[in-house]
Amino acid sequence: MGFHYTVESNKSIAEAIQSVEKNLQEIKFGVLWQTSITENLKNKGLTKITTPYHVLEVCSPFEAEKILTQNPMANYFLPCKITVYEAEGKTQIGFVKPTELMKPLNDPRLIEILAGIENQLIGVINRSK
């Protein structure tokens, strides 16, 4: 199964990000924050990493409320992150599965809630490629 879900896209990085943002809106998720790891490193004078790495922190307030009501310790793992990056000349879109990320909380009901969110985000990624 693995800790992440990642797909390859024929879209450019910018097109993939735009598609992810659009598809997130359809499930009432929003992008809270977005950054380019590569640009951040470059701005600090670090130039070894030239591969584009973009991180979108995404959230649904309705889902966040469900998660935090079930287990307040889940706050350490929020929000979800979707990454768009380049590998071997191809755009990749992926995320760490919330069901895997929050396993240390040992909360079966929380994992059930997260499985639904995970499936929604997998759908977003699949529609975005």
Side-chain angles (χ1 to χ4, degrees), residues 56-105:
L56 289 77
E57 289 197 343
V58 305
C59 186
S60 160
F62 307 103
E63 299 296 348
E65 182 179 59
K66 278 192 246 179
I67 291 167
L68 292 171
T69 300
Q70 174 59 34
N71 192 323
M73 295 301 289
N75 83 86
Y76 286 107
F77 303 97
L78 297 177
C80 294
K81 292 176 180 65
I82 294 179
T83 61
V84 181
Y85 62 99
E86 186 179 298
E88 298 178 14
K90 289 287 195 176
T91 299
Q92 309 290 318
I93 308 168
F95 78 126
V96 174
K97 295 176 180 177
T99 56
E100 293 295 321
L101 189 64
M102 294 195 209
K103 273 185 180 176
L105 296 178

mmCIF file of all heavy atoms in Angstrom, residues 56-105:
data_model
loop_
_atom_site.group_PDB
_atom_site.id
_atom_site.type_symbol
_atom_site.label_atom_id
_atom_site.label_comp_id
_atom_site.label_asym_id
_atom_site.label_seq_id
_atom_site.Cartn_x
_atom_site.Cartn_y
_atom_site.Cartn_z
ATOM 1 N N LEU A 56 1.165 22.275 -1.360
ATOM 2 C CA LEU A 56 -0.104 22.942 -1.115
ATOM 3 C C LEU A 56 -0.679 22.371 0.176
ATOM 4 O O LEU A 56 -0.877 21.159 0.280
ATOM 5 C CB LEU A 56 -1.099 22.676 -2.248
ATOM 6 C CG LEU A 56 -0.836 23.327 -3.594
ATOM 7 C CD1 LEU A 56 0.260 22.599 -4.336
ATOM 8 C CD2 LEU A 56 -2.099 23.328 -4.424
ATOM 9 N N GLU A 57 -0.887 23.224 1.159
ATOM 10 C CA GLU A 57 -1.538 22.777 2.385
ATOM 11 C C GLU A 57 -3.029 22.951 2.172
ATOM 12 O O GLU A 57 -3.501 24.052 1.872
ATOM 13 C CB GLU A 57 -1.043 23.581 3.589
ATOM 14 C CG GLU A 57 0.373 23.221 3.939
ATOM 15 C CD GLU A 57 0.767 23.668 5.322
ATOM 16 O OE1 GLU A 57 0.094 24.529 5.916
ATOM 17 O OE2 GLU A 57 1.772 23.137 5.816
ATOM 18 N N VAL A 58 -3.765 21.840 2.301
ATOM 19 C CA VAL A 58 -5.187 21.842 1.970
ATOM 20 C C VAL A 58 -6.021 21.407 3.165
ATOM 21 O O VAL A 58 -5.572 20.624 4.003
ATOM 22 C CB VAL A 58 -5.477 20.946 0.746
ATOM 23 C CG1 VAL A 58 -4.606 21.360 -0.439
ATOM 24 C CG2 VAL A 58 -5.280 19.477 1.045
ATOM 25 N N CYS A 59 -7.257 21.937 3.219
ATOM 26 C CA CYS A 59 -8.116 21.625 4.352
ATOM 27 C C CYS A 59 -9.571 21.869 4.000
ATOM 28 O O CYS A 59 -9.891 22.721 3.180
ATOM 29 C CB CYS A 59 -7.724 22.505 5.535
ATOM 30 S SG CYS A 59 -8.590 22.090 7.066
ATOM 31 N N SER A 60 -10.418 21.120 4.651
ATOM 32 C CA SER A 60 -11.850 21.375 4.684
ATOM 33 C C SER A 60 -12.178 21.677 6.140
ATOM 34 O O SER A 60 -11.926 20.836 7.012
ATOM 35 C CB SER A 60 -12.638 20.152 4.224
ATOM 36 O OG SER A 60 -13.973 20.225 4.671
ATOM 37 N N PRO A 61 -12.746 22.841 6.435
ATOM 38 C CA PRO A 61 -13.059 23.138 7.830
ATOM 39 C C PRO A 61 -14.034 22.125 8.429
ATOM 40 O O PRO A 61 -13.929 21.788 9.616
ATOM 41 C CB PRO A 61 -13.661 24.544 7.789
ATOM 42 C CG PRO A 61 -13.918 24.856 6.372
ATOM 43 C CD PRO A 61 -13.101 23.932 5.544
ATOM 44 N N PHE A 62 -14.941 21.611 7.632
ATOM 45 C CA PHE A 62 -15.909 20.624 8.106
ATOM 46 C C PHE A 62 -15.208 19.322 8.505
ATOM 47 O O PHE A 62 -15.516 18.732 9.548
ATOM 48 C CB PHE A 62 -16.971 20.353 7.036
ATOM 49 C CG PHE A 62 -17.621 21.615 6.538
ATOM 50 C CD1 PHE A 62 -17.266 22.160 5.311
ATOM 51 C CD2 PHE A 62 -18.556 22.282 7.322
ATOM 52 C CE1 PHE A 62 -17.849 23.338 4.861
ATOM 53 C CE2 PHE A 62 -19.147 23.456 6.882
ATOM 54 C CZ PHE A 62 -18.786 23.995 5.639
ATOM 55 N N GLU A 63 -14.268 18.889 7.672
ATOM 56 C CA GLU A 63 -13.522 17.662 7.972
ATOM 57 C C GLU A 63 -12.573 17.879 9.144
ATOM 58 O O GLU A 63 -12.416 17.006 9.995
ATOM 59 C CB GLU A 63 -12.758 17.180 6.738
ATOM 60 C CG GLU A 63 -13.630 16.830 5.547
ATOM 61 C CD GLU A 63 -14.570 15.647 5.774
ATOM 62 O OE1 GLU A 63 -14.415 14.914 6.776
ATOM 63 O OE2 GLU A 63 -15.479 15.459 4.938
ATOM 64 N N ALA A 64 -11.946 19.061 9.207
ATOM 65 C CA ALA A 64 -11.041 19.356 10.321
ATOM 66 C C ALA A 64 -11.792 19.310 11.647
ATOM 67 O O ALA A 64 -11.288 18.781 12.645
ATOM 68 C CB ALA A 64 -10.383 20.719 10.116
ATOM 69 N N GLU A 65 -13.007 19.833 11.651
ATOM 70 C CA GLU A 65 -13.796 19.805 12.878
ATOM 71 C C GLU A 65 -14.105 18.365 13.296
ATOM 72 O O GLU A 65 -13.993 18.023 14.475
ATOM 73 C CB GLU A 65 -15.099 20.589 12.690
ATOM 74 C CG GLU A 65 -15.938 20.636 13.953
ATOM 75 C CD GLU A 65 -17.214 21.419 13.780
ATOM 76 O OE1 GLU A 65 -18.036 21.051 12.912
ATOM 77 O OE2 GLU A 65 -17.385 22.402 14.529
ATOM 78 N N LYS A 66 -14.463 17.518 12.319
ATOM 79 C CA LYS A 66 -14.725 16.095 12.633
ATOM 80 C C LYS A 66 -13.486 15.435 13.228
ATOM 81 O O LYS A 66 -13.561 14.710 14.218
ATOM 82 C CB LYS A 66 -15.124 15.328 11.365
ATOM 83 C CG LYS A 66 -16.553 15.462 10.964
ATOM 84 C CD LYS A 66 -16.869 14.430 9.893
ATOM 85 C CE LYS A 66 -17.170 15.109 8.599
ATOM 86 N NZ LYS A 66 -17.468 14.203 7.495
ATOM 87 N N ILE A 67 -12.351 15.687 12.594
ATOM 88 C CA ILE A 67 -11.094 15.071 13.025
ATOM 89 C C ILE A 67 -10.725 15.512 14.433
ATOM 90 O O ILE A 67 -10.414 14.684 15.302
ATOM 91 C CB ILE A 67 -9.962 15.426 12.032
ATOM 92 C CG1 ILE A 67 -10.186 14.722 10.690
ATOM 93 C CG2 ILE A 67 -8.593 15.072 12.605
ATOM 94 C CD1 ILE A 67 -9.314 15.251 9.569
ATOM 95 N N LEU A 68 -10.769 16.816 14.680
ATOM 96 C CA LEU A 68 -10.351 17.342 15.979
ATOM 97 C C LEU A 68 -11.349 17.015 17.091
ATOM 98 O O LEU A 68 -10.950 16.871 18.253
ATOM 99 C CB LEU A 68 -10.118 18.847 15.885
ATOM 100 C CG LEU A 68 -8.916 19.237 15.027
ATOM 101 C CD1 LEU A 68 -8.889 20.740 14.803
ATOM 102 C CD2 LEU A 68 -7.620 18.745 15.642
ATOM 103 N N THR A 69 -12.622 16.874 16.726
ATOM 104 C CA THR A 69 -13.614 16.450 17.714
ATOM 105 C C THR A 69 -13.349 15.013 18.133
ATOM 106 O O THR A 69 -13.479 14.660 19.297
ATOM 107 C CB THR A 69 -15.044 16.593 17.135
ATOM 108 O OG1 THR A 69 -15.264 17.960 16.807
ATOM 109 C CG2 THR A 69 -16.097 16.130 18.117
ATOM 110 N N GLN A 70 -12.956 14.189 17.173
ATOM 111 C CA GLN A 70 -12.654 12.786 17.474
ATOM 112 C C GLN A 70 -11.372 12.652 18.295
ATOM 113 O O GLN A 70 -11.312 11.890 19.245
ATOM 114 C CB GLN A 70 -12.549 11.965 16.187
ATOM 115 C CG GLN A 70 -12.103 10.527 16.379
ATOM 116 C CD GLN A 70 -13.024 9.728 17.279
ATOM 117 O OE1 GLN A 70 -14.231 9.928 17.284
ATOM 118 N NE2 GLN A 70 -12.452 8.812 18.074
ATOM 119 N N ASN A 71 -10.332 13.411 17.893
ATOM 120 C CA ASN A 71 -9.056 13.268 18.578
ATOM 121 C C ASN A 71 -8.272 14.581 18.484
ATOM 122 O O ASN A 71 -7.671 14.876 17.440
ATOM 123 C CB ASN A 71 -8.247 12.120 17.967
ATOM 124 C CG ASN A 71 -7.052 11.752 18.810
ATOM 125 O OD1 ASN A 71 -6.400 12.606 19.393
ATOM 126 N ND2 ASN A 71 -6.763 10.457 18.871
ATOM 127 N N PRO A 72 -8.263 15.367 19.547
ATOM 128 C CA PRO A 72 -7.573 16.657 19.529
ATOM 129 C C PRO A 72 -6.078 16.562 19.193
ATOM 130 O O PRO A 72 -5.502 17.507 18.659
ATOM 131 C CB PRO A 72 -7.765 17.205 20.949
ATOM 132 C CG PRO A 72 -8.983 16.509 21.464
ATOM 133 C CD PRO A 72 -8.961 15.148 20.817
ATOM 134 N N MET A 73 -5.454 15.415 19.465
ATOM 135 C CA MET A 73 -4.032 15.260 19.150
ATOM 136 C C MET A 73 -3.767 15.238 17.646
ATOM 137 O O MET A 73 -2.622 15.408 17.206
ATOM 138 C CB MET A 73 -3.481 13.989 19.803
ATOM 139 C CG MET A 73 -3.484 14.036 21.328
ATOM 140 S SD MET A 73 -2.524 15.406 21.995
ATOM 141 C CE MET A 73 -0.881 14.858 21.618
ATOM 142 N N ALA A 74 -4.814 15.081 16.858
ATOM 143 C CA ALA A 74 -4.660 15.087 15.398
ATOM 144 C C ALA A 74 -4.184 16.447 14.893
ATOM 145 O O ALA A 74 -3.707 16.557 13.766
ATOM 146 C CB ALA A 74 -5.975 14.691 14.724
ATOM 147 N N ASN A 75 -4.282 17.472 15.737
ATOM 148 C CA ASN A 75 -3.844 18.805 15.317
ATOM 149 C C ASN A 75 -2.391 18.809 14.875
ATOM 150 O O ASN A 75 -1.993 19.631 14.064
ATOM 151 C CB ASN A 75 -4.089 19.832 16.423
ATOM 152 C CG ASN A 75 -2.988 19.863 17.459
ATOM 153 O OD1 ASN A 75 -1.993 20.557 17.277
ATOM 154 N ND2 ASN A 75 -3.151 19.111 18.542
ATOM 155 N N TYR A 76 -1.598 17.879 15.382
ATOM 156 C CA TYR A 76 -0.193 17.822 15.002
ATOM 157 C C TYR A 76 0.005 17.428 13.542
ATOM 158 O O TYR A 76 1.082 17.639 12.976
ATOM 159 C CB TYR A 76 0.564 16.822 15.889
ATOM 160 C CG TYR A 76 0.802 17.331 17.285
ATOM 161 C CD1 TYR A 76 0.083 16.816 18.356
ATOM 162 C CD2 TYR A 76 1.741 18.329 17.521
ATOM 163 C CE1 TYR A 76 0.299 17.282 19.640
ATOM 164 C CE2 TYR A 76 1.956 18.801 18.802
ATOM 165 C CZ TYR A 76 1.235 18.277 19.857
ATOM 166 O OH TYR A 76 1.449 18.738 21.128
ATOM 167 N N PHE A 77 -1.011 16.844 12.931
ATOM 168 C CA PHE A 77 -0.885 16.318 11.580
ATOM 169 C C PHE A 77 -1.631 17.142 10.531
ATOM 170 O O PHE A 77 -1.618 16.791 9.356
ATOM 171 C CB PHE A 77 -1.385 14.874 11.538
ATOM 172 C CG PHE A 77 -0.671 13.974 12.499
ATOM 173 C CD1 PHE A 77 -1.214 13.683 13.742
ATOM 174 C CD2 PHE A 77 0.550 13.425 12.174
ATOM 175 C CE1 PHE A 77 -0.559 12.856 14.639
ATOM 176 C CE2 PHE A 77 1.217 12.600 13.058
ATOM 177 C CZ PHE A 77 0.663 12.310 14.297
ATOM 178 N N LEU A 78 -2.312 18.181 10.967
ATOM 179 C CA LEU A 78 -3.111 18.990 10.044
ATOM 180 C C LEU A 78 -2.347 20.216 9.606
ATOM 181 O O LEU A 78 -1.510 20.705 10.351
ATOM 182 C CB LEU A 78 -4.422 19.397 10.719
ATOM 183 C CG LEU A 78 -5.356 18.261 11.100
ATOM 184 C CD1 LEU A 78 -6.576 18.808 11.831
ATOM 185 C CD2 LEU A 78 -5.767 17.447 9.892
ATOM 186 N N PRO A 79 -2.631 20.771 8.469
ATOM 187 C CA PRO A 79 -3.536 20.299 7.418
ATOM 188 C C PRO A 79 -2.863 19.253 6.542
ATOM 189 O O PRO A 79 -1.669 18.976 6.698
ATOM 190 C CB PRO A 79 -3.837 21.571 6.626
ATOM 191 C CG PRO A 79 -2.610 22.408 6.777
ATOM 192 C CD PRO A 79 -2.065 22.085 8.149
ATOM 193 N N CYS A 80 -3.631 18.706 5.607
ATOM 194 C CA CYS A 80 -3.062 17.759 4.637
ATOM 195 C C CYS A 80 -2.194 18.524 3.644
ATOM 196 O O CYS A 80 -2.423 19.697 3.379
ATOM 197 C CB CYS A 80 -4.180 17.038 3.873
ATOM 198 S SG CYS A 80 -5.190 15.952 4.892
ATOM 199 N N LYS A 81 -1.221 17.846 3.111
ATOM 200 C CA LYS A 81 -0.340 18.456 2.112
ATOM 201 C C LYS A 81 -0.413 17.663 0.809
ATOM 202 O O LYS A 81 -0.289 16.440 0.815
ATOM 203 C CB LYS A 81 1.105 18.482 2.604
ATOM 204 C CG LYS A 81 1.322 19.412 3.756
ATOM 205 C CD LYS A 81 2.737 19.314 4.263
ATOM 206 C CE LYS A 81 2.993 20.223 5.422
ATOM 207 N NZ LYS A 81 2.235 19.902 6.605
ATOM 208 N N ILE A 82 -0.625 18.376 -0.282
ATOM 209 C CA ILE A 82 -0.524 17.776 -1.613
ATOM 210 C C ILE A 82 0.721 18.378 -2.241
ATOM 211 O O ILE A 82 0.925 19.592 -2.198
ATOM 212 C CB ILE A 82 -1.769 18.062 -2.473
ATOM 213 C CG1 ILE A 82 -2.993 17.369 -1.866
ATOM 214 C CG2 ILE A 82 -1.546 17.616 -3.919
ATOM 215 C CD1 ILE A 82 -4.291 17.593 -2.609
ATOM 216 N N THR A 83 1.570 17.537 -2.804
ATOM 217 C CA THR A 83 2.790 18.021 -3.435
ATOM 218 C C THR A 83 2.706 17.837 -4.943
ATOM 219 O O THR A 83 2.140 16.863 -5.442
ATOM 220 C CB THR A 83 4.042 17.306 -2.896
ATOM 221 O OG1 THR A 83 3.939 15.916 -3.167
ATOM 222 C CG2 THR A 83 4.183 17.508 -1.398
ATOM 223 N N VAL A 84 3.256 18.806 -5.642
ATOM 224 C CA VAL A 84 3.376 18.752 -7.098
ATOM 225 C C VAL A 84 4.848 19.001 -7.380
ATOM 226 O O VAL A 84 5.403 20.016 -6.963
ATOM 227 C CB VAL A 84 2.479 19.804 -7.786
ATOM 228 C CG1 VAL A 84 2.602 19.716 -9.303
ATOM 229 C CG2 VAL A 84 1.011 19.651 -7.349
ATOM 230 N N TYR A 85 5.463 18.045 -8.042
ATOM 231 C CA TYR A 85 6.906 18.142 -8.251
ATOM 232 C C TYR A 85 7.277 17.441 -9.553
ATOM 233 O O TYR A 85 6.446 16.830 -10.217
ATOM 234 C CB TYR A 85 7.668 17.546 -7.068
ATOM 235 C CG TYR A 85 7.417 16.067 -6.831
ATOM 236 C CD1 TYR A 85 8.305 15.105 -7.281
ATOM 237 C CD2 TYR A 85 6.283 15.634 -6.149
ATOM 238 C CE1 TYR A 85 8.089 13.752 -7.066
ATOM 239 C CE2 TYR A 85 6.050 14.296 -5.920
ATOM 240 C CZ TYR A 85 6.953 13.353 -6.382
ATOM 241 O OH TYR A 85 6.725 12.017 -6.166
ATOM 242 N N GLU A 86 8.540 17.556 -9.896
ATOM 243 C CA GLU A 86 9.044 16.930 -11.117
ATOM 244 C C GLU A 86 9.986 15.798 -10.756
ATOM 245 O O GLU A 86 10.840 15.943 -9.874
ATOM 246 C CB GLU A 86 9.774 17.965 -11.963
ATOM 247 C CG GLU A 86 10.202 17.459 -13.315
ATOM 248 C CD GLU A 86 10.896 18.537 -14.118
ATOM 249 O OE1 GLU A 86 10.243 19.556 -14.416
ATOM 250 O OE2 GLU A 86 12.092 18.368 -14.413
ATOM 251 N N ALA A 87 9.800 14.673 -11.423
ATOM 252 C CA ALA A 87 10.706 13.530 -11.261
ATOM 253 C C ALA A 87 10.935 12.920 -12.637
ATOM 254 O O ALA A 87 9.967 12.607 -13.343
ATOM 255 C CB ALA A 87 10.124 12.496 -10.307
ATOM 256 N N GLU A 88 12.185 12.815 -13.013
ATOM 257 C CA GLU A 88 12.562 12.251 -14.309
ATOM 258 C C GLU A 88 11.824 12.927 -15.460
ATOM 259 O O GLU A 88 11.357 12.288 -16.390
ATOM 260 C CB GLU A 88 12.338 10.740 -14.306
ATOM 261 C CG GLU A 88 13.188 10.039 -13.264
ATOM 262 C CD GLU A 88 12.946 8.536 -13.200
ATOM 263 O OE1 GLU A 88 12.330 7.974 -14.113
ATOM 264 O OE2 GLU A 88 13.394 7.936 -12.209
ATOM 265 N N GLY A 89 11.712 14.256 -15.368
ATOM 266 C CA GLY A 89 11.109 15.036 -16.442
ATOM 267 C C GLY A 89 9.589 14.999 -16.501
ATOM 268 O O GLY A 89 9.000 15.547 -17.417
ATOM 269 N N LYS A 90 8.947 14.378 -15.532
ATOM 270 C CA LYS A 90 7.484 14.271 -15.516
ATOM 271 C C LYS A 90 6.929 14.907 -14.246
ATOM 272 O O LYS A 90 7.524 14.812 -13.176
ATOM 273 C CB LYS A 90 7.032 12.801 -15.555
ATOM 274 C CG LYS A 90 7.259 12.115 -16.877
ATOM 275 C CD LYS A 90 6.264 12.632 -17.886
ATOM 276 C CE LYS A 90 6.220 11.723 -19.092
ATOM 277 N NZ LYS A 90 5.211 12.124 -20.034
ATOM 278 N N THR A 91 5.767 15.513 -14.388
ATOM 279 C CA THR A 91 5.079 16.089 -13.243
ATOM 280 C C THR A 91 4.449 14.980 -12.414
ATOM 281 O O THR A 91 3.836 14.063 -12.954
ATOM 282 C CB THR A 91 3.995 17.082 -13.718
ATOM 283 O OG1 THR A 91 4.636 18.141 -14.445
ATOM 284 C CG2 THR A 91 3.215 17.669 -12.556
ATOM 285 N N GLN A 92 4.621 15.074 -11.113
ATOM 286 C CA GLN A 92 4.048 14.126 -10.156
ATOM 287 C C GLN A 92 3.105 14.897 -9.235
ATOM 288 O O GLN A 92 3.405 16.031 -8.845
ATOM 289 C CB GLN A 92 5.141 13.478 -9.304
ATOM 290 C CG GLN A 92 6.299 12.890 -10.082
ATOM 291 C CD GLN A 92 5.916 11.649 -10.856
ATOM 292 O OE1 GLN A 92 5.191 10.796 -10.367
ATOM 293 N NE2 GLN A 92 6.385 11.554 -12.088
ATOM 294 N N ILE A 93 1.993 14.281 -8.876
ATOM 295 C CA ILE A 93 1.051 14.861 -7.921
ATOM 296 C C ILE A 93 0.812 13.796 -6.852
ATOM 297 O O ILE A 93 0.457 12.667 -7.188
ATOM 298 C CB ILE A 93 -0.295 15.225 -8.584
ATOM 299 C CG1 ILE A 93 -0.095 16.087 -9.837
ATOM 300 C CG2 ILE A 93 -1.217 15.916 -7.576
ATOM 301 C CD1 ILE A 93 -1.350 16.238 -10.682
ATOM 302 N N GLY A 94 0.988 14.160 -5.589
ATOM 303 C CA GLY A 94 0.799 13.150 -4.558
ATOM 304 C C GLY A 94 0.588 13.735 -3.179
ATOM 305 O O GLY A 94 0.638 14.948 -2.982
ATOM 306 N N PHE A 95 0.351 12.839 -2.237
ATOM 307 C CA PHE A 95 0.189 13.237 -0.847
ATOM 308 C C PHE A 95 0.472 12.051 0.064
ATOM 309 O O PHE A 95 0.450 10.901 -0.359
ATOM 310 C CB PHE A 95 -1.213 13.807 -0.591
ATOM 311 C CG PHE A 95 -2.325 12.798 -0.465
ATOM 312 C CD1 PHE A 95 -3.140 12.795 0.652
ATOM 313 C CD2 PHE A 95 -2.592 11.877 -1.460
ATOM 314 C CE1 PHE A 95 -4.189 11.882 0.770
ATOM 315 C CE2 PHE A 95 -3.631 10.972 -1.359
ATOM 316 C CZ PHE A 95 -4.436 10.969 -0.226
ATOM 317 N N VAL A 96 0.770 12.366 1.310
ATOM 318 C CA VAL A 96 0.902 11.329 2.330
ATOM 319 C C VAL A 96 -0.509 10.955 2.751
ATOM 320 O O VAL A 96 -1.336 11.829 3.031
ATOM 321 C CB VAL A 96 1.710 11.834 3.542
ATOM 322 C CG1 VAL A 96 1.708 10.796 4.656
ATOM 323 C CG2 VAL A 96 3.134 12.170 3.135
ATOM 324 N N LYS A 97 -0.790 9.666 2.780
ATOM 325 C CA LYS A 97 -2.123 9.209 3.163
ATOM 326 C C LYS A 97 -2.387 9.549 4.629
ATOM 327 O O LYS A 97 -1.620 9.147 5.505
ATOM 328 C CB LYS A 97 -2.233 7.699 2.967
ATOM 329 C CG LYS A 97 -2.118 7.262 1.517
ATOM 330 C CD LYS A 97 -2.142 5.752 1.444
ATOM 331 C CE LYS A 97 -2.028 5.257 0.035
ATOM 332 N NZ LYS A 97 -1.971 3.782 0.002
ATOM 333 N N PRO A 98 -3.474 10.274 4.901
ATOM 334 C CA PRO A 98 -3.766 10.622 6.296
ATOM 335 C C PRO A 98 -3.960 9.392 7.184
ATOM 336 O O PRO A 98 -3.632 9.435 8.376
ATOM 337 C CB PRO A 98 -5.047 11.448 6.222
ATOM 338 C CG PRO A 98 -5.351 11.663 4.797
ATOM 339 C CD PRO A 98 -4.417 10.863 3.972
ATOM 340 N N THR A 99 -4.457 8.303 6.622
ATOM 341 C CA THR A 99 -4.634 7.081 7.420
ATOM 342 C C THR A 99 -3.291 6.536 7.890
ATOM 343 O O THR A 99 -3.201 5.934 8.957
ATOM 344 C CB THR A 99 -5.381 5.989 6.640
ATOM 345 O OG1 THR A 99 -4.685 5.731 5.413
ATOM 346 C CG2 THR A 99 -6.815 6.390 6.348
ATOM 347 N N GLU A 100 -2.252 6.735 7.105
ATOM 348 C CA GLU A 100 -0.908 6.293 7.481
ATOM 349 C C GLU A 100 -0.263 7.297 8.437
ATOM 350 O O GLU A 100 0.366 6.916 9.420
ATOM 351 C CB GLU A 100 -0.027 6.123 6.240
ATOM 352 C CG GLU A 100 -0.460 4.994 5.327
ATOM 353 C CD GLU A 100 -0.324 3.631 5.979
ATOM 354 O OE1 GLU A 100 0.667 3.399 6.704
ATOM 355 O OE2 GLU A 100 -1.216 2.790 5.760
ATOM 356 N N LEU A 101 -0.436 8.558 8.127
ATOM 357 C CA LEU A 101 0.197 9.619 8.910
ATOM 358 C C LEU A 101 -0.264 9.605 10.364
ATOM 359 O O LEU A 101 0.529 9.808 11.282
ATOM 360 C CB LEU A 101 -0.128 10.973 8.267
ATOM 361 C CG LEU A 101 0.583 12.194 8.784
ATOM 362 C CD1 LEU A 101 2.082 12.091 8.535
ATOM 363 C CD2 LEU A 101 0.029 13.433 8.123
ATOM 364 N N MET A 102 -1.557 9.344 10.577
ATOM 365 C CA MET A 102 -2.106 9.440 11.922
ATOM 366 C C MET A 102 -2.216 8.102 12.652
ATOM 367 O O MET A 102 -2.802 8.025 13.734
ATOM 368 C CB MET A 102 -3.449 10.156 11.881
ATOM 369 C CG MET A 102 -3.320 11.606 11.456
ATOM 370 S SD MET A 102 -4.779 12.556 11.820
ATOM 371 C CE MET A 102 -4.715 13.795 10.531
ATOM 372 N N LYS A 103 -1.612 7.053 12.095
ATOM 373 C CA LYS A 103 -1.618 5.756 12.778
ATOM 374 C C LYS A 103 -1.061 5.812 14.201
ATOM 375 O O LYS A 103 -1.560 5.117 15.079
ATOM 376 C CB LYS A 103 -0.845 4.712 11.964
ATOM 377 C CG LYS A 103 -1.677 4.009 10.949
ATOM 378 C CD LYS A 103 -0.884 2.905 10.270
ATOM 379 C CE LYS A 103 -1.742 2.201 9.246
ATOM 380 N NZ LYS A 103 -0.975 1.181 8.512
ATOM 381 N N PRO A 104 -0.040 6.632 14.472
ATOM 382 C CA PRO A 104 0.497 6.660 15.834
ATOM 383 C C PRO A 104 -0.528 7.054 16.905
ATOM 384 O O PRO A 104 -0.328 6.774 18.079
ATOM 385 C CB PRO A 104 1.624 7.691 15.761
ATOM 386 C CG PRO A 104 2.044 7.687 14.332
ATOM 387 C CD PRO A 104 0.786 7.429 13.551
ATOM 388 N N LEU A 105 -1.631 7.680 16.508
ATOM 389 C CA LEU A 105 -2.650 8.067 17.484
ATOM 390 C C LEU A 105 -3.480 6.875 17.955
ATOM 391 O O LEU A 105 -4.215 6.982 18.934
ATOM 392 C CB LEU A 105 -3.556 9.159 16.912
ATOM 393 C CG LEU A 105 -2.849 10.486 16.619
ATOM 394 C CD1 LEU A 105 -3.822 11.479 16.002
ATOM 395 C CD2 LEU A 105 -2.217 11.059 17.877
#
